[in-house]
Amino acid sequence: MTEAITGVNKESVRRRRKRQLLLLVMCILVLVGGLITFRSMDSQLPLGVSRVDFEKAAAEFKEEYDRPGDDFDVLMTLAEMAAQKKDSATAIACYQQIPTKHVRHGPSARYQEALLFAETDQVQRAEDSFQEFLKLLEQGHQLPDSKVAHSRHWLSLIYGVEVRQEDRRIVLHSLLQDHQADIHDVKQYYFGSLLIWQTAFGSERVRDFLKKDPDNRHLRVAAARYCIGEGRLKEARQQLGILRSEDPKELRTLAVLLESCYDMHDWSAFAKEFASAPEFSKDEPWLLTQLRGEWALHQNDWLKAEEYFQYMLETDPPNAVCLMGLGRALAGQKKSKEREIIRQRSLLVAKLRVDLSAITHDNPKGARSVASSARQLGMEDAAAILEFFAARMPDGTP
Amino acid sequence: MIFRCGHFRPFAMFIGLALFSAGCGKQRLPSDPAPAEKSFPSAVAPRIIEKSSADPVAGPSVVTSLSFRMLTAESGFEFVRNDDMHGQERLFEVNGGGSAIFDFDADGWLDIFMTNGCRVPLALQSKETPGRLFRNHQHMKFRDCSEASGLMQYGYGTGCAVGDTNEDGFEDLYIAAFGPNQFWVNNGDGTFSFVSGTDIPAVPEWSSSVAFADLNADDTLDLYVANYVAESDTHPKLCHDSKPDVGDTGCSPSFFDGVSDSLLLSDGHGGFLDGSGAAGLSTLPGKALGVVICDFGGDPAPEIYVANDGEANFLFSLEIKPSQGEPVCPDHVTLRERAVFANVALNEQGFAQASMGVAASDLDRNGLVDIFLTHFFGESNTLYLNHSTSDSLVFQDATRVSALGPPSLRKLAFGVVSLDVDNNGWKDLLVANGHTNDRTWSGPSAPYRMTPQLFENQGNALFVDVSNAAGDYFHRELLGRGMAMGDLDRDGRMDAVVSQQIDPSVILQNKTKSAGSSLFLRLIGRTCCRTPVTARVTLMNTEPTACEYLVGGGSFQSASANEIHFGLADARSVDLEILWPGGDREIVTDVTPGYWTIRQGDHRAWPTNHSETVAD
């Protein structure tokens, strides 16, 4: 009997111990699982945001909207709170966790982070974010007009500072098409090649941008261009030589390098670099096409020069440099009558260039004067738009 | 069940482990770190373009023998111009004035006249700060003799021109102004007389630079007056300034209407008639700041080059109707504008630049006069080389070839003279710089005062900026404006006078040690004007060609001495060919370095006595 009782006790102890062991294993599993879950939740928090911050933002959202927010709602709230505190880094980190595809918050996140990138001189990221935001338009999203216009203006400014006229023109075209352009955009779009780009403002901004992103190629090429614009040609050539060795096929660098050789009247260096240029392409930088024309002139290849300058003038009718180049090409071919026409256009463009400074938001006379010159150059669209703006200015009634 | 005591220990372990893990756990960095957190490798070679200094002149490696010393009060030449500057930067107060170098008392030593401004509005008739005349007492000593001479230029004087209009052997003075211009006749006894409006037409416009020359082939000196823009002294145009706490300030010239220039033709009796309308000038408004009259085509008819501010420049050739024995009337002269055809209206890029000063000189020694223009900040100065033929006037923008472009981009240049500093036979360029608007509050990229520049001609119009090595003056940041040249100390080296704003104006004494020998010629016309502007002198049997022209006007609002200067290097004597206005040619042989006077028809050179005039 005792043996039976003892045996029964041992069995129950074994069962009890099994249960305990099972319980312990379960506890460990729960613990591990809990830890994994808990830690993964924390690791998804943006940089600079603690769990406490997150919960606080969630609570604020719930209080404001009378419903609990999902993670993206809370991230938006966190971003806005950080932005208000001027904590750009945290705000950006929050926005970046919101995918563009998110219906409610994606577009706004891209736009807001782009603004913060721009305001903190991170222009490449700003450009990428603005472009991603604007791409949504093409995909059929409804975006607030004011934000679309603002994004485009920012891009126009960035491209202007980086002397990327081709990209800027695309953005300006969009502004014009969607009736978002102001009169300065009109001036830049139609007469950009006549405006002074090598400003102290642009030069300083490029330096500021490079501090944040010293490897940015666009900025480095732009910095070299400003050097050229300030007469520091040797310095520019050194920088461009480095850029060229890093990417020999990149055409914008080649174009600016050729410009420095041209400005130094160093035709032997020009020839050496030009030898590696690919065949002409409609997608190449405008500066390169223009310099192809100058090279052709130097070679007395008048026909070729005429072709290149005419091509440029089709896109940019008031391009003074190309008009002068075309004039020389026509003179070389003894086409006196055609040359005389180009001469007169050059004079008209020279006058128009000075008149551009009088185009302001409140000077209808200035706008109409340029419109008149534009009309003489055959730029009917430009004339019409300028007159449209003039009519809407104070005292602008014709 | 968990909380039963018998099973509490394992649960406690779980809780403990959980709490421990939570306490030790770190937030994992996002996969895309915030850009602000990104670190840059410090070992990467710096790629940021170094911020340029505000004055990118030639580096310390430049070597030159050219040297100037600055003189001011110690020489007796004390002059601070009054521009009535009060911070509003009204357009008329930013251009400054000019200077004239001429021998007013015919003692062989060049004297100096400085135009001066006054308080505005002009109706205040301020007589506090007249223009000043300084007599040369030799050895770079000058004395203000304004009162004694009676030459009291009141009003807001700008430019000036010098010429012997009444052919009495004493040079007269025409002073341009913002307001009424003034004409002062030299009485020949050390005094001047003001010529009233009945004898000379009033020029109602704001005049800047002026030039004398015989423009209608009647052998008397006429006057071309370059006029700037329409502006009121009582209600000057003001624009909004972006500087905080300033409000309105001066406007850019683009906000003003241009006005036409004036052509005043001598009536042969000491007075002038207005030939502007008949000449066609009233149909050609511009914004003229500089003018030079010279024979650009080598034919030897004069042409007039006008530097316009922000507009296409003018190049006028003259068409004169035959007089058929009658005195030439104002309507016999027509000006034909041909700058576009001659390629001197715009620069190579097709831009009309903000042209201020102009120097006309044969810089590449091809026998033809070239044109060098000074321009605004951010624009390069421009050199047009003359390639004219007998059929046509043709120039070429040679700024790139000359290397004059880059050093001038961060300067705002006004007065300019072309002078052979070291007498090696090649003309150099001296430029006065200084901005018109003080925007230094916006940062170092917007300089106001600027250093002047000296460009040494390496031959064939290829220049090097040697400012850094040419003397202390070139390291001073100033507001340079008008500039005139002349050999003030008669040491065979060309000196200069610079009119400045705010700071005292200065004499630049040429102290170049290695200077070769030189030839200074005073030409006296007989059948042509006594002051034979556009006369050409050529050194015969010289390669490359060495020729000099007596030009009218030039620089900015200033008049250089009416002398021909040749740098002869080590030549011991030269033969000269003189082409007088009107076409007379004359050869003078065996002229040795020094100072000579050549009277038309004498076929010889007389030594220029520095203490008495040469009798006719």
Side-chain angles (χ1 to χ4, degrees):
Chain A
M1 178 87 160
T2 307
E3 284 181 3
I5 293 171
T6 305
V8 168
N9 282 344
K10 277 186 184 171
E11 184 60 31
S12 68
V13 166
R14 259 203 305 277
R15 280 201 211 107
R16 193 167 63 238
R17 280 186 181 160
K18 267 189 193 172
R19 281 199 299 273
Q20 285 174 346
L21 190 61
L22 190 61
L23 186 62
L24 183 62
V25 168
M26 280 175 64
C27 286
I28 289 171
L29 283 174
V30 168
L31 172 68
V32 169
L35 276 173
I36 289 171
T37 305
F38 189 71
R39 290 185 72 170
S40 70
M41 282 173 66
D42 275 4
S43 74
Q44 286 172 1
L45 288 176
L47 185 68
V49 175
S50 67
R51 167 78 19 206
V52 171
D53 295 332
F54 192 92
E55 297 299 338
K56 187 178 164 191
E60 279 202 25
F61 181 90
K62 187 178 175 186
E63 192 180 327
E64 182 159 353
Y65 293 98
D66 207 29
R67 64 171 178 86
D70 62 18
D71 283 351
F72 297 114
D73 292 326
V74 179
L75 282 169
M76 279 301 282
T77 306
L78 276 167
E80 285 157 15
M81 287 163 63
Q84 276 173 4
K85 289 185 218 163
K86 309 282 183 205
D87 182 358
S88 307
T90 303
I92 287 170
C94 292
Y95 285 130
Q96 288 196 307
Q97 296 231 344
I98 301 170
T100 309
K101 284 183 285 188
H102 191 276
V103 173
R104 280 198 317 279
H105 300 305
S108 188
R110 293 292 76 74
Y111 173 74
Q112 295 293 348
E113 84 187 8
L115 286 180
L116 289 171
F117 280 136
E119 286 161 13
T120 53
D121 291 349
Q122 299 174 72
V123 284
Q124 185 60 61
R125 288 170 177 265
E127 179 188 345
D128 292 342
S129 294
F130 279 128
Q131 291 286 17
E132 198 170 336
F133 171 72
L134 291 170
K135 208 183 284 181
L136 294 168
L137 267 183
E138 295 166 27
Q139 293 164 2
H141 288 251
Q142 292 291 320
L143 300 177
D145 220 41
S146 61
K147 288 184 178 169
V148 169
H150 199 208
S151 300
R152 286 171 173 161
H153 280 120
W154 259 112
L155 282 172
S156 175
L157 176 69
I158 291 170
Y159 293 147
V161 166
E162 293 181 358
V163 204
R164 291 161 63 185
Q165 310 292 21
E166 300 87 346
D167 295 322
R168 192 176 197 185
R169 192 176 171 84
I170 295 171
V171 170
L172 288 169
H173 181 75
S174 301
L175 281 164
L176 280 164
Q177 257 193 331
D178 291 347
H179 307 290
Q180 295 168 338
D182 59 27
I183 194 155
H184 298 289
D185 298 324
V186 171
K187 193 161 78 169
Q188 188 65 46
Y189 179 78
Y190 287 107
F191 310 107
S193 61
L194 297 179
L195 299 173
I196 296 172
W197 59 265
Q198 62 272 40
T199 61
F201 167 79
S203 179
E204 282 164 14
R205 293 308 283 144
V206 163
R207 287 194 193 97
D208 293 338
F209 297 160
L210 273 169
K211 283 176 191 165
K212 291 288 175 73
D213 190 2
D215 296 330
N216 184 307
R217 202 175 174 81
H218 286 309
L219 292 173
R220 289 162 66 198
V221 174
R225 252 206 118 177
Y226 282 107
C227 266
I228 293 171
E230 291 167 6
R232 294 180 285 130
L233 298 174
K234 284 183 185 165
E235 192 180 334
R237 273 173 79 163
Q238 276 171 6
Q239 297 296 326
L240 291 163
I242 295 170
L243 283 161
R244 194 108 164 90
S245 64
E246 289 170 7
D247 187 353
K249 292 191 177 161
E250 205 272 299
L251 291 184
R252 203 165 151 251
T253 306
L254 172 63
V256 181
L257 181 57
L258 288 172
E259 183 186 41
S260 70
C261 297
Y262 176 77
D263 278 0
M264 289 178 84
H265 200 70
D266 187 351
W267 285 113
S268 61
F270 188 104
K272 189 178 158 203
E273 299 296 341
F274 191 71
S276 62
E279 291 296 311
F280 165 75
S281 151
K282 290 186 179 179
D283 297 324
E284 69 180 29
W286 294 341
L287 179 60
L288 180 56
T289 310
Q290 177 188 308
L291 288 166
R292 287 185 193 276
E294 297 293 349
W295 176 243
L297 284 175
H298 181 68
Q299 303 283 79
N300 293 345
D301 189 346
W302 313 119
L303 207 56
K304 204 73 182 165
E306 183 184 347
E307 276 176 28
Y308 286 128
F309 290 126
Q310 285 281 26
Y311 170 79
M312 287 292 297
L313 288 166
E314 277 162 26
T315 315
D316 185 13
N319 189 311
V321 176
C322 292
L323 277 170
M324 294 296 276
L326 178 59
R328 298 202 313 268
L330 292 170
Q333 297 171 78
K334 311 269 188 264
K335 293 182 179 176
S336 310
K337 282 183 189 165
E338 292 90 330
R339 191 194 178 190
E340 180 52 29
I341 294 170
I342 296 302
R343 257 199 191 124
Q344 295 305 321
R345 286 174 73 90
S346 291
L347 265 183
L348 186 57
V349 164
K351 180 187 175 301
L352 187 155
R353 182 174 179 256
V354 176
D355 290 345
L356 285 175
S357 62
I359 290 187
T360 59
H361 66 278
D362 57 358
N363 182 4
K365 184 180 164 196
R368 288 205 173 95
S369 172
V370 175
S372 168
S373 298
R375 189 150 272 128
Q376 291 179 62
L377 285 169
M379 298 172 69
E380 291 295 333
D381 287 350
I385 291 178
L386 285 166
E387 278 160 3
F388 171 84
F389 273 97
R392 281 149 186 78
M393 290 178 188
D395 300 325
T397 312
Chain B
M1 185 168 142
I2 292 175
F3 297 106
R4 284 172 60 183
C5 294
H7 305 284
F8 184 71
R9 191 185 295 176
F11 180 73
M13 284 169 62
F14 162 72
I15 297 297
L17 273 173
L19 289 172
F20 179 74
S21 298
C24 292
K26 290 178 185 174
Q27 293 171 352
R28 197 183 66 189
L29 288 175
S31 57
D32 189 17
E37 299 297 316
K38 188 177 177 183
S39 63
F40 301 109
S42 58
V44 173
R47 290 199 177 110
I48 298 170
I49 303 299
E50 287 301 314
K51 197 169 187 180
S52 65
S53 67
D55 185 18
V57 293
S61 60
V62 170
V63 173
T64 184
S65 64
L66 310 191
S67 177
F68 282 92
R69 182 166 78 114
M70 186 179 84
L71 302 174
T72 50
E74 70 274 25
S75 65
F77 177 70
E78 287 185 77
F79 180 77
V80 179
R81 183 180 160 89
N82 174 19
D83 286 295
D84 196 39
M85 295 169 95
H86 296 293
Q88 283 187 311
E89 296 175 349
R90 299 160 296 179
L91 192 61
F92 57 80
E93 69 181 74
V94 304
N95 281 358
S99 54
I101 295 180
F102 69 120
D103 183 6
F104 85 93
D105 53 2
D107 65 352
W109 294 88
L110 295 170
D111 312 298
I112 301 170
F113 174 75
M114 306 296 290
T115 67
N116 208 346
C118 65
R119 279 188 292 142
V120 178
L122 300 173
L124 292 174
Q125 294 187 2
S126 161
K127 294 190 176 181
E128 296 142 349
T129 54
R132 310 308 292 177
L133 178 66
F134 295 89
R135 186 170 184 270
N136 192 336
H137 283 258
Q138 305 178 31
H139 308 298
M140 280 302 192
K141 294 295 180 195
F142 294 83
R143 275 195 210 139
D144 189 336
C145 63
S146 310
E147 281 82 8
S149 72
L151 177 53
M152 301 301 283
Q153 171 256 305
Y154 297 117
Y156 208 101
T158 53
C160 50
V162 171
D164 185 359
T165 60
N166 53 8
E167 313 254 308
D168 64 353
F170 294 91
E171 290 181 307
D172 312 302
L173 186 65
Y174 186 91
I175 302 168
F178 173 59
N181 295 348
Q182 298 175 26
F183 182 42
W184 293 84
V185 165
N186 191 332
N187 299 320
D189 59 359
T191 67
F192 286 81
S193 295
F194 176 72
V195 177
S196 69
T198 53
D199 291 323
I200 186 162
V203 175
E205 318 292 359
W206 170 1
S207 305
S208 54
S209 294
V210 283
F212 276 114
D214 178 8
L215 297 174
N216 57 358
D218 67 350
D219 304 324
T220 57
L221 276 184
D222 310 301
L223 192 59
Y224 189 94
V225 183
N227 296 318
Y228 191 31
V229 299
E231 168 67 315
S232 164
D233 67 306
T234 52
H235 296 87
K237 205 170 275 200
L238 294 173
C239 292
H240 181 69
D241 195 290
S242 52
K243 179 181 180 182
D245 306 324
V246 168
D248 289 334
T249 187
C251 302
S252 153
S254 60
F255 284 86
F256 296 81
D257 292 329
V259 294
S260 53
D261 299 335
S262 303
L263 176 66
L264 304 183
L265 299 172
S266 170
D267 65 3
H269 306 294
F272 291 83
L273 302 166
D274 190 345
S276 312
L281 281 175
S282 53
T283 61
L284 281 170
K287 296 180 183 175
L289 284 176
V291 61
V292 67
I293 301 178
C294 191
D295 170 20
F296 289 104
D299 52 358
E303 285 87 22
I304 305 168
Y305 188 78
V306 179
N308 283 312
D309 184 2
E311 303 200 348
N313 300 317
F314 296 148
L315 177 63
F316 294 114
S317 59
L318 304 167
E319 292 180 353
I320 304 166
K321 291 180 201 166
S323 66
Q324 295 180 346
E326 298 168 355
V328 179
C329 296
D331 60 356
H332 285 184
V333 180
T334 310
L335 298 182
R336 196 172 124 222
E337 206 291 294
R338 17 191 328 195
V340 175
F341 291 96
N343 290 333
V344 285
L346 312 170
N347 73 353
E348 190 179 44
Q349 284 83 40
F351 296 148
Q353 295 174 287
S355 302
M356 267 79 81
V358 54
S361 184
D362 184 7
L363 295 171
D364 60 351
R365 290 180 63 170
N366 69 343
L368 298 168
V369 180
D370 312 304
I371 296 171
F372 179 74
L373 291 168
T374 58
H375 294 127
F376 203 76
F377 185 78
E379 296 181 329
S380 71
N381 296 334
T382 300
L383 172 64
Y384 297 102
L385 290 180
N386 193 338
H387 297 293
S388 298
T389 64
S390 54
D391 297 327
S392 60
L393 280 172
V394 173
F395 290 77
Q396 182 192 15
D397 184 336
T399 308
R400 283 184 298 114
V401 178
S402 66
L404 284 167
S408 58
L409 281 168
R410 290 189 59 77
K411 300 288 187 186
L412 198 161
F414 275 93
V416 56
V417 293
S418 167
L419 69 178
D420 185 355
V421 178
D422 55 354
N423 290 330
N424 68 349
W426 293 96
K427 287 288 187 70
D428 311 299
L429 290 166
L430 180 61
V431 181
N433 295 314
H435 211 291
T436 51
N437 307 98
D438 186 354
R439 295 290 177 272
T440 49
W441 51 267
S442 66
S445 60
Y448 182 40
R449 293 164 185 266
M450 298 172 177
T451 54
Q453 288 174 298
L454 178 62
F455 296 97
E456 184 173 2
N457 193 336
Q458 305 288 292
N460 287 333
L462 175 62
F463 291 85
V464 170
D465 185 349
V466 297
S467 311
N468 255 356
D472 178 57
Y473 175 70
F474 297 95
H475 295 269
R476 290 174 180 250
E477 292 179 341
L478 302 159
L479 298 175
R481 297 292 183 257
M483 182 187 288
M485 62 180 174
D487 182 7
L488 293 167
D489 53 3
R490 292 305 190 201
D491 65 351
R493 295 176 288 190
M494 195 65 100
D495 311 301
V497 172
V498 186
S499 174
Q500 295 178 160
Q501 289 197 292
I502 301 177
D503 295 308
S505 295
V506 301
I507 293 172
L508 292 179
Q509 184 183 24
N510 188 342
K511 300 299 283 180
T512 303
K513 285 185 181 156
S514 60
S517 62
S518 62
L519 183 65
F520 282 85
L521 297 173
R522 184 174 143 225
L523 301 179
I524 299 176
R526 276 208 177 112
T527 58
C528 67
C529 291
R530 189 182 170 90
T531 309
V533 174
T534 73
R536 184 182 78 198
V537 182
T538 306
L539 299 187
M540 298 174 73
N541 306 314
T542 305
E543 282 298 324
T545 308
C547 67
E548 294 295 332
Y549 292 78
L550 193 64
V551 305
S555 186
F556 173 72
Q557 296 186 166
S558 297
S560 294
N562 282 327
E563 293 178 338
I564 297 272
H565 166 237
F566 281 101
L568 297 181
D570 54 3
R572 291 188 182 178
S573 74
V574 289
D575 297 334
L576 307 174
E577 181 195 68
I578 301 146
L579 180 62
W580 297 93
D584 280 354
R585 284 179 193 270
E586 193 168 333
I587 305 288
V588 178
T589 58
D590 284 325
V591 183
T592 56
Y595 301 84
W596 300 93
T597 298
I598 298 176
R599 291 175 302 194
Q600 187 177 11
D602 279 1
H603 296 276
R604 62 163 293 180
W606 301 90
T608 301
N609 193 317
H610 290 164
S611 58
E612 61 190 3
T613 58
V614 176
D616 282 342

